[in-house]
Amino acid sequence: MQVVLIGVGQAGGKLAQAIAEFDYEMDLGAVTGALAVNTARADLQSLTIETQLIGQDRVKGHGVGGDNELGAEVMDADADQVMDALEGRITSQADAIVLVGGLGGGTGSGGMPVLARELKAVYDRPVYALGILPGRDEGSLYQVNAGRSLKTVLREADSTIMIDNDAWRSSDESLQAGFDTINQRVARRIGLLLATGERIGEGTAETVVDASDLINTLRRGELAAVGYATCEASEDAAENINAITSLARNAVLTGTSLPDAVDAQSALLVIAGEPQRIARKGVERARKWIEEETGSLDVRGGDFPMESDRLAAIVVLGGIERSRRVEEFLDRAREASEQTSASPADPTESFQDDRLDDLF
Ligand code: GDP
């Protein structure tokens, strides 16, 4: 799939750059453009991708702090500057537009849903959001911001891929120290996922996965997660049947961007590696296992030819909004919201819950 990436806020800009760099270094050809948008000048200065500063009249290049309502207002006022910066970049080649941002901060949290709305009004392309969920140890402001931002971005974007900052961090590192590692992991996983269907390397895939497989998988629900696992592989495909089934299991059970999210409406399994190492029987068994595990009958599968002596599984789970992990996060956000505001509680279901206000 060919995409234009837009990073909003500090985390968004760093991640957009990391994904674009991975795509370039691996010669994947999926990222056709990358833009970082921020209210903080200093955060943009450290980036090498294209940048757009917004909100200069309101915050003078100093950022919005953790105020995501201000982040949303600034994006609302200056969206035309971002649209101008994108002019001519979202060509007919682009299959989708992907927004990236931290849900817990200010600029990304508030700006991403507004920009999703603006982009959808102009482009007839799917707009996806890659939302970074704050870690459990981050303060209540982050949790409330993330809850409200998520609720709003789900409404505006076609699908939101959630990445929990606790999911891909090394256990011995603090969250701050671990950002570079997390960003590299996100770049590899999301970079490979986006490149699905873009032909690279020698061999051809036996069962081709193309952009429409990913689009159709994401279409089945509002929230999605991505799983990833890799292992050494024999040169003989017949010896890799079990390896492929355990790869899929590891990707879903331990390698996912949103741990414990296994109830899904749809899924896509991509096995990356040299075609002669990929066992058809293994891919088929792995696909069946995902059907059983997720309770979905809409599970697509295929290969991604790549030069490597290893195999990797990339699994997208679409429509995970009913998962325990999502409920757990929403509880955390609602609880924090009640502690920080006196707004009346009105418990209803999930995102309909009025205890988490929409941003706009
Ligand atoms: P903004 O610039 O106002 O949008 O705020 P940030 O992008 O700093 O958003 C804060 C949230 O993003 C917090 O939950 C942080 O944990 C997370 N965050 C900040 N920087 C990074 C980063 O480089 N990588 C990742 N994965 N998360 C980050």
Side-chain angles (χ1 to χ4, degrees):
M1 152 182 288
Q2 302 220 327
V3 302
V4 173
L5 279 177
I6 308 171
V8 189
Q10 181 185 209
K14 284 196 282 178
L15 281 161
Q17 172 151 323
I19 298 168
E21 276 173 356
F22 177 80
D23 182 81
Y24 182 75
E25 279 158 20
M26 297 281 291
D27 200 16
L28 297 173
V31 177
T32 60
L35 175 73
V37 183
N38 209 329
T39 55
R41 186 179 284 110
D43 289 344
L44 291 178
Q45 277 164 348
S46 52
L47 300 174
T48 53
I49 56 174
E50 282 188 59
T51 60
Q52 177 68 46
L53 183 67
I54 56 167
Q56 281 197 77
D57 50 337
R58 293 283 294 272
V59 301
K60 317 221 164 348
H62 296 309
V64 298
D67 185 346
N68 65 349
E69 287 186 10
L70 181 55
E73 280 169 35
V74 164
M75 183 63 85
D76 200 33
D78 288 355
D80 51 345
Q81 293 177 23
V82 181
M83 300 306 259
D84 285 351
L86 289 169
E87 186 76 53
R89 301 193 177 275
I90 302 174
T91 62
S92 56
Q93 302 285 310
D95 297 296
I97 303 168
V98 179
L99 298 174
V100 197
L103 296 170
T107 303
S109 173
M112 205 162 44
V114 176
L115 192 53
R117 184 195 64 199
E118 297 296 313
L119 289 163
K120 284 220 56 92
V122 173
Y123 297 101
D124 60 348
R125 239 53 65 80
V127 174
Y128 300 128
L130 200 62
I132 309 297
L133 213 53
R136 282 185 176 75
D137 309 342
E138 294 190 66
S140 50
L141 177 66
Y142 289 91
Q143 313 297 343
V144 178
N145 281 356
R148 295 184 64 197
S149 176
L150 181 60
K151 193 177 175 194
T152 319
V153 85
L154 286 177
R155 194 186 72 203
E156 300 299 336
D158 288 291
S159 179
T160 301
I161 299 175
M162 285 241 269
I163 296 176
D164 185 335
N165 251 343
D166 287 331
W168 291 336
R169 97 197 226 193
S170 306
S171 52
D172 54 341
E173 272 179 330
S174 73
L175 187 54
Q176 289 288 336
F179 279 156
D180 281 349
T181 319
I182 296 174
N183 295 353
Q184 289 313 311
R185 290 186 180 151
V186 172
R188 166 169 291 272
R189 287 149 180 76
I190 299 299
L192 286 175
L193 172 66
L194 296 176
T196 297
E198 293 304 308
R199 233 192 74 78
I200 61 151
E202 295 303 298
T204 358
E206 269 203 45
T207 317
V208 183
V209 177
D210 61 22
S212 66
D213 288 311
L214 181 53
I215 291 171
N216 287 328
T217 303
L218 294 175
R219 185 173 285 152
R220 289 295 301 272
E222 293 177 328
L223 256 187
V226 176
Y228 177 83
T230 170
C231 72
E232 308 232 332
S234 158
E235 279 178 48
D236 178 3
E239 289 176 22
N240 292 331
I241 298 174
N242 291 338
I244 289 174
T245 48
S246 26
L247 264 186
R249 208 169 317 177
N250 290 343
V252 172
L253 298 179
T254 57
T256 165
S257 63
L258 195 69
D260 300 329
V262 284
D263 287 339
Q265 297 293 318
S266 57
L268 172 66
L269 164 72
V270 182
I271 299 295
E274 279 169 4
Q276 70 269 21
R277 293 178 198 254
I278 300 178
R280 298 256 59 75
K281 214 184 224 173
V283 180
E284 195 37 39
R285 279 190 197 166
R287 210 184 57 74
K288 284 250 159 58
W289 178 84
I290 294 176
E291 280 184 1
E292 281 160 25
E293 191 65 23
T294 58
S296 164
L297 289 176
D298 184 5
V299 180
R300 291 150 221 268
D303 316 347
F304 182 176
M306 243 178 111
E307 270 171 52
S308 170
D309 51 8
R310 299 176 70 81
L311 288 175
I314 304 148
V315 179
V316 182
L317 299 178
I320 54 164
E321 38 272 49
R322 293 175 165 279
S323 287
R324 194 176 71 219
R325 180 67 186 82
V326 177
E327 285 303 323
E328 219 180 86
F329 163 72
L330 285 172
D331 282 345
R332 200 161 80 198
R334 285 177 199 125
E335 215 170 278
S337 171
E338 278 161 6
Q339 279 165 12
T340 50
S341 81
S343 66
D346 178 15
T348 48
E349 278 260 299
S350 300
F351 294 102
Q352 307 310 319
D353 194 333
D354 291 344
R355 284 185 294 166
L356 273 179
D357 293 333
D358 284 283
L359 265 173
F360 57 89

